[in-house]
Each structure stands twice: as C-alpha cells, then as structure tokens.
Amino acid sequence: MFSVTKLLAKLKKPIPRKLSWRLTLIYAALFSAVLIVLNAGTLFGVRYYMVEQAKQQVRSSTENTLGRLSASAGAANLSDPAYLSEAGTVSEINIAITNPSGKQISSSNKTLAGLPGPSSGIGNILVYESHDRHFIVENTRITETNQMIGYLQVSYDMRSEYRFIKLLFAFMALADFLGVAFAILTGFLLSRRALRPIDTLTKTARKISVGDLSRRVEVGPADDELSRLAVTFNEMIERLQNSFEKQSRFVSDASHELRTPIAVIKGYADLIDQWAKNDPQVLEESVAAIRKEANGMAALVEQLLFLARGDNKKLKPQKENFPASGLLHEIVEESKLVAPNHCFEETVPENLRIYADRKLLKQALRALVDNAVKYTPEKGTIQLAASDDDTGVKIHVTDTGIGISENELPKIFDRFYRVDEDRSREKGGSGLGLSIVKWIVDVHGGNISVESEKGKGTSVSIHLPKK
C-alpha cells in the first residue's frame, strides 16, 4: 500500500517541460495546421475545377447532339450512329439514346452500368459517385414536332481526373509529413538559438552569490527583447552590488564609529576603577568624558535609526503650506544663540510660501547651518536665502568657510563620509548629517546641489517643487 501511494504521488507531479520544446510544439502545430489547410484548399480547388470542366463538356456535348437531331430532315432515325459522333471527339464522353419507355436504341459502345435512369433529373446535370466510380450525367428529352420521341443521356467518366486527384493527395500528404518534420526540427533549432540568452542568464544567475556580484551576462549586438532582458538583469545586479557594497560599508563605518566611543568609555571606566576612587578630580574628568561619549553615541544611534526608518519607508512627510520667512527667521535666531561669534543673514520674500513637512525641512536646514558654523571661522558670515520661480522654491545656505575641494564634492552625501576625517571627529561630526539632509530633500521630490571652492566657502542649494 505504501509503494502504491508513493507511485500515485509521483504520477501527480507535473512533468517538467522545457520552454524550447513547448515553443517547438506550438510552432510545429501552427505550421502543420496552415500547411494542411492550404493543401486541403488546393485539393478542393482542383476537384472543383475538374468537375466544372466536366460539366461544361457534358453540357456542350448535349447541345451539339441535340442540334444534330433537330437538324435532321423528317423523322429522326435515333439509331443512326452519326448522332453519337460527339463521343468520338472526347474519349471520356459516353452518349446513349433510349426510347420513351427507357429501352436503349443506340450507344457509343461504352456500356456504363449503374448510371441513373434516362428519365431522372431531366434538365439538370447530375454528379454520380459510387465507390471508385465518378460520373457527370445529363439526361434530356428528345422531341419532334412537340412530341417526345426518346431520351438523350450524356455522361462523362472522371476516372482519370480522380486518379490525378489521388496522386496529388498522396504527394501532398507526403509533403505535409515532410513539412511537419521539418517544422519540428527547425522550430527546435530556432527556439534553442532564441532561448540561448535565457540559458546564459540562468547559468550566470546561479553563479552569482552574495560574495561575488561581479559576474555579468554578455549582451549580443541584436536589439531584441532578450538582449534588453540581459541588459536589465545586468543593471539589476549592478544596483544590487552597489547596494550591498554601501550596506557593507555602512555597517563597517557604523561599527568603526561606535568602536571609538566604546573604547573611550571602557578606558575611563578602568581609570575610575583603578585611580579615581580617591581622586575627585580624576573622577569628575572621567565622568564628564563618559557622558560626552555617551551623548555622541546616542546622537549617532538616533541618526542611524532615522536613516533606517527612512530606508524602510516608515517616515512619511506630513506636508503643509507655510511661510518661508517664518522658518528661516526661526533658524537664524536659534543659530545666533548657539554660535554668537558668527554673522547670520537672511533674505526671503515675505509672501513666499513652501509646501513641505516643516519639521523635516527645519531639521535639514539646521544640519546645513550647523555644518556651516563648524567649518566657518569666527566672524564669518552664514547666509540663508529663499526665492521661487515657475518650477518651485529654492533655499540657499551659503558660508564663507574653509570650502570643499572639487574632487570631494560628489562624495559628501555618502553615509559616514568626512572631507577631513581628523578635523570632523574633532568637531563632533559623524558623517551622517548630509546623508539625512539628502534623504529629506529626496522624499520631498526635490534635489540638492553644492558649489564650493577651497578657502572661499560653500553654497548648498535645495530645490523643492511646488504643490
């Protein structure tokens, strides 16, 4: 019983079929159907033409014979062989003349048994088919002085025509068989060749792993669907590779960023354990250092959580329409309290309004102003300006600080990237601020650009679309 159950389970499993075989069968079936329909149409057309020609011949022979009979002077002698001369010109034609009772008077010596009686189907052309016998028959009354004196039967033997049709049928059947075989072979070869890029794609996909994303599918010169599929696959792997490299770098940088404060905290904890128990000054210094590193770690973790929620699309901007002057004035006033030794300026039209998440936009502008304060010497100027045009609103944060070199500009929005590693660490930067700014701008459907020159300052421009 167990073996029977296993056998039934195996039989229920779908039989794997290659796409190439399915395409071959579909191609062969369509080709065969078209070929059979064409051949059947040809056979029907040839038969129809031959039957019509035979009918025309019978009709012509009937008219000629009746013409001879009517042209006879006086009473026609129905037994005269001259009336059967039409049968001598066409070998397939047979003419028989009978009296009104149906008894044969004369015939062209081609006795054809089994034909319809001479009185049946008068005036019509009959198609008589029985087994291998095929005839075209026309029966007509013979009249003289408005009196019927007999019947005229003209028949056409289509034996030769049907023999030709049979030979043509056999030839076409052989052609159908060879055509189907050729269609299967050609379809298989063409499908194999057409699907070869998919096989290559499958083999490449199997070789790709997390540790090796460098493999790519070779794209041929043809611009077809499969080539575009290969290009799309390569682009997808390229994006995956970039994403994986960024993720690996992000994890590595996050670990590196956390390793330093953890090491500092551990060092001061050991110092407290060994020396600071009886030294209030060392204890106070150690506690202050631990608190500073803990605050830095808390800020870093908060930034990481913000970016993680953003990447997972859990942060949804709550957009509203608000005046730009109020937001920029608020940021300037707060910055003056934090950095009283810097000069702040704001330029914004009173009637300018912004459609955005006010809280997120303020966070982005605060981050830009904080960066400007960090890298602008005291007495330097930091300017916030806003303007609008047909495309949207532009906000500029410009400083007179140390600037950024041209080759560093494309990387400043990468996570954990610092233009100057030592100077950034000294000023408390984690390398995530500009990444958060870029995410906030992107989620609003805007764009951000930076212009900077070493020693002359930096200008960051945010463009937000209109509502």
Side-chain angles (χ1 to χ4, degrees), residues 224-278:
D224 53 18
E225 289 81 357
L226 293 176
S227 298
R228 290 193 289 272
L229 174 63
V231 171
T232 304
F233 179 81
N234 289 339
E235 291 174 351
M236 179 191 69
I237 296 301
E238 185 75 24
R239 290 193 298 270
L240 287 175
Q241 184 178 13
N242 294 336
S243 177
F244 181 74
E245 289 175 354
K246 286 182 179 180
Q247 183 181 11
S248 300
R249 187 167 60 250
F250 181 79
V251 173
S252 175
D253 292 340
S255 302
H256 178 73
E257 290 295 327
L258 292 173
R259 186 184 299 118
T260 300
I262 289 174
V264 172
I265 291 174
K266 184 176 181 300
Y268 276 106
D270 292 340
L271 182 63
I272 291 173
D273 184 51
Q274 294 180 10
W275 305 100
K277 293 179 181 179
N278 301 318

Coordinates of all heavy atoms in Angstrom, one line a residue, residues 224-278:
D224 N 16.9 43.2 -29.3 CA 15.6 42.5 -29.2 C 15.2 42.4 -27.7 O 15.9 42.9 -26.8 CB 15.7 41.1 -29.8 CG 16.8 40.3 -29.3 OD1 17.4 40.6 -28.3 OD2 17.2 39.3 -30.0
E225 N 14.1 41.7 -27.5 CA 13.6 41.5 -26.1 C 14.6 40.8 -25.2 O 14.7 41.2 -24.0 CB 12.2 40.8 -26.1 CG 11.1 41.6 -26.7 CD 11.1 41.5 -28.2 OE1 12.0 40.9 -28.8 OE2 10.1 42.1 -28.8
L226 N 15.2 39.8 -25.7 CA 16.2 39.0 -24.8 C 17.4 39.8 -24.5 O 17.9 39.8 -23.4 CB 16.5 37.7 -25.5 CG 15.4 36.7 -25.7 CD1 15.8 35.5 -26.5 CD2 14.8 36.3 -24.3
S227 N 17.9 40.6 -25.5 CA 19.0 41.5 -25.2 C 18.7 42.5 -24.2 O 19.5 42.8 -23.3 CB 19.5 42.2 -26.5 OG 19.9 41.2 -27.5
R228 N 17.5 43.1 -24.3 CA 17.0 44.1 -23.3 C 16.9 43.4 -21.9 O 17.1 44.0 -20.9 CB 15.7 44.8 -23.7 CG 16.0 45.7 -24.9 CD 14.8 46.6 -25.1 NE 13.6 45.9 -25.7 CZ 13.4 45.6 -27.0 NH1 14.2 46.1 -27.9 NH2 12.3 45.0 -27.4
L229 N 16.4 42.1 -21.9 CA 16.3 41.4 -20.6 C 17.7 41.2 -20.0 O 17.9 41.4 -18.8 CB 15.7 40.1 -20.9 CG 15.6 39.1 -19.7 CD1 14.8 39.7 -18.5 CD2 15.1 37.7 -20.1
A230 N 18.7 40.9 -20.8 CA 20.1 40.8 -20.3 C 20.6 42.1 -19.8 O 21.2 42.1 -18.7 CB 21.0 40.2 -21.4
V231 N 20.3 43.2 -20.5 CA 20.8 44.5 -20.1 C 20.1 44.8 -18.7 O 20.7 45.3 -17.8 CB 20.4 45.6 -21.1 CG1 20.7 47.0 -20.6 CG2 21.3 45.3 -22.4
T232 N 18.8 44.6 -18.6 CA 18.1 44.9 -17.4 C 18.6 44.0 -16.2 O 18.7 44.5 -15.1 CB 16.6 44.6 -17.6 OG1 16.1 45.3 -18.7 CG2 15.8 44.9 -16.3
F233 N 18.9 42.7 -16.5 CA 19.5 41.9 -15.5 C 20.8 42.4 -15.0 O 21.1 42.5 -13.8 CB 19.6 40.5 -16.1 CG 20.2 39.5 -15.1 CD1 19.5 38.9 -14.1 CD2 21.6 39.2 -15.2 CE1 20.0 38.0 -13.2 CE2 22.2 38.3 -14.3 CZ 21.4 37.7 -13.3
N234 N 21.7 42.8 -16.0 CA 23.0 43.4 -15.6 C 22.8 44.7 -14.7 O 23.5 44.9 -13.8 CB 23.8 43.7 -16.8 CG 24.3 42.4 -17.5 OD1 24.4 41.4 -16.9 ND2 24.7 42.5 -18.8
E235 N 21.9 45.5 -15.1 CA 21.6 46.7 -14.4 C 21.1 46.4 -13.0 O 21.5 47.1 -12.0 CB 20.6 47.6 -15.1 CG 21.1 48.2 -16.4 CD 20.1 48.9 -17.2 OE1 18.9 48.8 -16.8 OE2 20.4 49.6 -18.2
M236 N 20.3 45.4 -12.9 CA 19.8 45.0 -11.5 C 20.9 44.5 -10.7 O 21.0 44.8 -9.5 CB 18.7 43.9 -11.7 CG 18.1 43.4 -10.4 SD 17.1 41.9 -10.6 CE 18.4 40.7 -11.0
I237 N 21.8 43.6 -11.2 CA 22.9 43.1 -10.5 C 23.8 44.3 -10.1 O 24.4 44.3 -9.0 CB 23.7 42.1 -11.3 CG1 22.8 40.8 -11.5 CG2 24.9 41.6 -10.5 CD1 22.3 40.2 -10.2
E238 N 24.0 45.3 -11.0 CA 24.8 46.4 -10.7 C 24.2 47.2 -9.5 O 25.0 47.6 -8.6 CB 24.9 47.3 -11.9 CG 25.8 48.5 -11.8 CD 27.3 48.1 -11.9 OE1 27.6 47.1 -12.5 OE2 28.1 48.9 -11.3
R239 N 22.9 47.4 -9.5 CA 22.3 48.1 -8.4 C 22.4 47.3 -7.1 O 22.7 47.8 -6.0 CB 20.8 48.3 -8.7 CG 20.6 49.4 -9.7 CD 19.1 49.8 -9.8 NE 18.2 48.7 -10.1 CZ 17.9 48.4 -11.3 NH1 18.3 49.1 -12.3 NH2 17.0 47.4 -11.5
L240 N 22.2 45.9 -7.2 CA 22.4 45.1 -6.0 C 23.8 45.1 -5.5 O 24.0 45.2 -4.2 CB 22.0 43.6 -6.3 CG 20.5 43.3 -6.5 CD1 20.4 41.9 -7.0 CD2 19.8 43.6 -5.2
Q241 N 24.8 45.1 -6.4 CA 26.2 45.2 -6.0 C 26.5 46.5 -5.3 O 27.1 46.5 -4.2 CB 27.1 45.0 -7.2 CG 28.6 45.0 -6.8 CD 29.5 44.7 -8.0 OE1 29.0 44.8 -9.1 NE2 30.7 44.4 -7.8
N242 N 26.0 47.6 -5.9 CA 26.2 48.9 -5.2 C 25.5 49.0 -3.9 O 26.1 49.5 -2.9 CB 25.7 50.0 -6.1 CG 26.5 50.2 -7.4 OD1 27.7 49.8 -7.5 ND2 25.9 50.7 -8.5
S243 N 24.3 48.5 -3.8 CA 23.6 48.5 -2.6 C 24.3 47.6 -1.5 O 24.4 48.0 -0.3 CB 22.1 48.0 -2.8 OG 21.4 47.9 -1.6
F244 N 24.7 46.5 -1.9 CA 25.4 45.6 -1.0 C 26.7 46.2 -0.5 O 27.1 46.1 0.7 CB 25.7 44.2 -1.7 CG 26.4 43.2 -0.7 CD1 25.7 42.6 0.3 CD2 27.7 42.9 -0.9 CE1 26.3 41.7 1.1 CE2 28.4 42.0 -0.1 CZ 27.7 41.4 0.9
E245 N 27.5 46.8 -1.4 CA 28.7 47.5 -1.0 C 28.5 48.7 -0.1 O 29.2 48.8 0.9 CB 29.5 48.0 -2.3 CG 30.0 46.8 -3.1 CD 30.7 47.3 -4.4 OE1 30.5 48.6 -4.7 OE2 31.3 46.5 -5.1
K246 N 27.4 49.4 -0.4 CA 27.0 50.5 0.5 C 26.6 50.0 1.9 O 27.0 50.6 2.9 CB 25.9 51.4 -0.1 CG 26.4 52.3 -1.2 CD 25.2 53.1 -1.7 CE 25.6 54.0 -2.9 NZ 24.5 54.8 -3.4
Q247 N 25.9 48.9 1.9 CA 25.4 48.3 3.2 C 26.6 47.8 4.0 O 26.7 48.1 5.2 CB 24.4 47.2 2.9 CG 23.9 46.6 4.2 CD 22.9 45.5 3.9 OE1 22.8 45.0 2.8 NE2 22.2 45.0 4.9
S248 N 27.5 47.1 3.3 CA 28.7 46.6 4.0 C 29.6 47.8 4.5 O 30.0 47.7 5.7 CB 29.5 45.8 3.0 OG 28.8 44.7 2.5
R249 N 29.7 48.8 3.7 CA 30.5 50.0 4.1 C 29.8 50.7 5.3 O 30.4 51.1 6.2 CB 30.7 50.9 2.9 CG 31.6 52.1 3.3 CD 32.1 52.8 2.0 NE 31.0 53.4 1.3 CZ 30.5 53.0 0.1 NH1 31.1 52.0 -0.5 NH2 29.5 53.6 -0.5
F250 N 28.4 50.7 5.2 CA 27.7 51.4 6.2 C 27.8 50.6 7.6 O 28.1 51.2 8.6 CB 26.2 51.4 5.8 CG 25.3 52.1 6.8 CD1 25.2 53.4 6.9 CD2 24.5 51.3 7.7 CE1 24.4 54.0 7.8 CE2 23.7 51.9 8.6 CZ 23.6 53.3 8.7
V251 N 27.7 49.3 7.5 CA 27.9 48.5 8.7 C 29.3 48.6 9.3 O 29.5 48.8 10.5 CB 27.6 47.0 8.5 CG1 27.9 46.2 9.7 CG2 26.1 46.9 8.1
S252 N 30.3 48.6 8.4 CA 31.7 48.8 8.8 C 31.9 50.1 9.4 O 32.6 50.2 10.5 CB 32.6 48.5 7.6 OG 34.0 48.8 7.9
D253 N 31.4 51.2 8.7 CA 31.6 52.5 9.3 C 30.9 52.7 10.6 O 31.4 53.4 11.5 CB 31.1 53.6 8.3 CG 32.0 53.6 7.0 OD1 33.1 53.1 7.1 OD2 31.5 54.1 6.0
A254 N 29.6 52.2 10.7 CA 28.9 52.3 12.0 C 29.7 51.6 13.1 O 29.7 52.1 14.2 CB 27.5 51.7 11.8
S255 N 30.2 50.4 12.8 CA 31.0 49.7 13.8 C 32.2 50.5 14.2 O 32.6 50.5 15.4 CB 31.4 48.3 13.2 OG 30.3 47.5 12.9
H256 N 32.8 51.1 13.2 CA 34.0 51.9 13.5 C 33.7 53.1 14.3 O 34.4 53.5 15.3 CB 34.7 52.3 12.2 CG 35.9 53.2 12.4 ND1 37.1 52.7 12.8 CD2 36.0 54.5 12.2 CE1 37.9 53.7 12.9 NE2 37.3 54.8 12.5
E257 N 32.5 53.7 14.0 CA 32.1 54.9 14.7 C 31.8 54.6 16.2 O 32.0 55.3 17.1 CB 30.9 55.6 14.1 CG 31.2 56.2 12.7 CD 32.1 57.4 12.9 OE1 32.1 58.1 13.9 OE2 32.9 57.6 12.0
L258 N 31.2 53.4 16.4 CA 30.8 53.0 17.8 C 32.0 52.5 18.5 O 32.0 52.5 19.8 CB 29.7 52.0 17.7 CG 28.3 52.5 17.2 CD1 27.4 51.4 17.1 CD2 27.8 53.5 18.2
R259 N 33.0 51.9 17.8 CA 34.2 51.3 18.5 C 34.9 52.4 19.3 O 35.4 52.1 20.4 CB 35.0 50.6 17.4 CG 36.2 49.9 18.1 CD 37.1 49.3 17.0 NE 36.4 48.4 16.1 CZ 36.3 48.5 14.9 NH1 36.8 49.6 14.3 NH2 35.6 47.7 14.1
T260 N 35.1 53.6 18.7 CA 35.9 54.6 19.4 C 35.3 55.1 20.7 O 36.0 55.0 21.7 CB 36.2 55.8 18.4 OG1 36.8 55.3 17.2 CG2 37.0 56.8 19.1
P261 N 34.0 55.5 20.7 CA 33.4 55.9 22.0 C 33.3 54.8 23.0 O 33.5 55.0 24.2 CB 32.1 56.4 21.6 CG 31.8 55.9 20.3 CD 33.1 55.7 19.6
I262 N 33.1 53.6 22.5 CA 33.1 52.4 23.5 C 34.4 52.2 24.1 O 34.6 52.0 25.3 CB 32.6 51.2 22.7 CG1 31.1 51.3 22.4 CG2 32.8 49.9 23.6 CD1 30.5 50.2 21.6
A263 N 35.5 52.3 23.3 CA 36.8 52.2 23.8 C 37.2 53.3 24.8 O 37.8 53.1 25.8 CB 37.9 52.2 22.7
V264 N 36.7 54.5 24.5 CA 36.9 55.6 25.4 C 36.2 55.4 26.7 O 36.8 55.6 27.8 CB 36.5 57.0 24.8 CG1 36.5 58.1 25.8 CG2 37.4 57.3 23.6
I265 N 34.9 55.0 26.6 CA 34.1 54.8 27.9 C 34.8 53.6 28.7 O 34.9 53.7 29.9 CB 32.7 54.4 27.5 CG1 32.0 55.6 26.9 CG2 31.9 53.9 28.7 CD1 30.6 55.4 26.3
K266 N 35.2 52.6 28.0 CA 35.8 51.5 28.7 C 37.1 51.9 29.4 O 37.4 51.6 30.5 CB 36.1 50.3 27.7 CG 36.7 49.1 28.4 CD 36.9 48.0 27.4 CE 37.4 46.7 28.0 NZ 38.7 46.9 28.7
G267 N 37.9 52.8 28.7 CA 39.2 53.3 29.2 C 38.9 54.1 30.5 O 39.6 53.9 31.5
Y268 N 38.0 55.0 30.4 CA 37.7 55.9 31.6 C 37.0 55.0 32.7 O 37.3 55.3 33.9 CB 36.7 57.0 31.2 CG 37.5 58.2 30.6 CD1 37.5 58.5 29.3 CD2 38.2 59.0 31.5 CE1 38.2 59.5 28.7 CE2 38.9 60.1 30.9 CZ 38.9 60.4 29.6 OH 39.6 61.4 29.1
A269 N 36.3 54.0 32.4 CA 35.7 53.1 33.4 C 36.9 52.4 34.2 O 36.8 52.3 35.4 CB 34.8 52.1 32.8
D270 N 37.8 51.9 33.4 CA 39.0 51.3 34.0 C 39.8 52.3 34.9 O 40.3 52.0 36.0 CB 39.9 50.7 32.9 CG 39.3 49.5 32.2 OD1 38.3 48.9 32.8 OD2 39.7 49.2 31.1
L271 N 39.9 53.5 34.4 CA 40.6 54.6 35.1 C 39.9 54.9 36.4 O 40.5 55.0 37.5 CB 40.7 55.9 34.3 CG 41.4 57.0 34.9 CD1 42.9 56.7 35.1 CD2 41.3 58.3 34.0
I272 N 38.5 54.9 36.4 CA 37.8 55.1 37.6 C 38.0 54.0 38.6 O 38.2 54.2 39.8 CB 36.3 55.3 37.3 CG1 36.1 56.6 36.6 CG2 35.4 55.3 38.6 CD1 34.6 56.8 36.1
D273 N 38.0 52.8 38.0 CA 38.1 51.6 38.9 C 39.5 51.6 39.6 O 39.6 51.1 40.7 CB 37.9 50.4 38.1 CG 37.9 49.1 38.9 OD1 37.2 49.0 39.9 OD2 38.7 48.1 38.5
Q274 N 40.5 52.0 38.9 CA 41.9 51.9 39.4 C 42.3 53.2 40.2 O 43.0 53.1 41.3 CB 42.9 51.7 38.3 CG 42.7 50.3 37.6 CD 43.7 50.1 36.5 OE1 44.6 50.8 36.3 NE2 43.5 49.0 35.7
W275 N 42.0 54.4 39.7 CA 42.6 55.6 40.3 C 41.6 56.6 40.9 O 42.0 57.4 41.8 CB 43.4 56.3 39.2 CG 44.5 55.4 38.6 CD1 44.4 54.8 37.4 CD2 45.7 55.1 39.2 NE1 45.5 54.1 37.1 CE2 46.4 54.2 38.2 CE3 46.4 55.4 40.4 CZ2 47.6 53.7 38.5 CZ3 47.6 54.8 40.6 CH2 48.3 54.0 39.7
A276 N 40.4 56.6 40.3 CA 39.5 57.8 40.6 C 38.7 57.6 41.9 O 38.0 58.5 42.2 CB 38.6 58.0 39.4
K277 N 38.8 56.5 42.5 CA 38.0 56.2 43.7 C 38.4 57.2 44.8 O 37.5 57.7 45.6 CB 38.2 54.8 44.2 CG 37.6 53.8 43.3 CD 37.9 52.4 43.9 CE 37.3 51.3 42.9 NZ 37.6 49.9 43.4
N278 N 39.7 57.6 44.9 CA 40.1 58.5 46.0 C 40.6 59.8 45.4 O 41.2 60.6 46.1 CB 41.3 57.9 46.7 CG 40.9 56.6 47.4 OD1 39.7 56.5 47.9 ND2 41.7 55.5 47.3

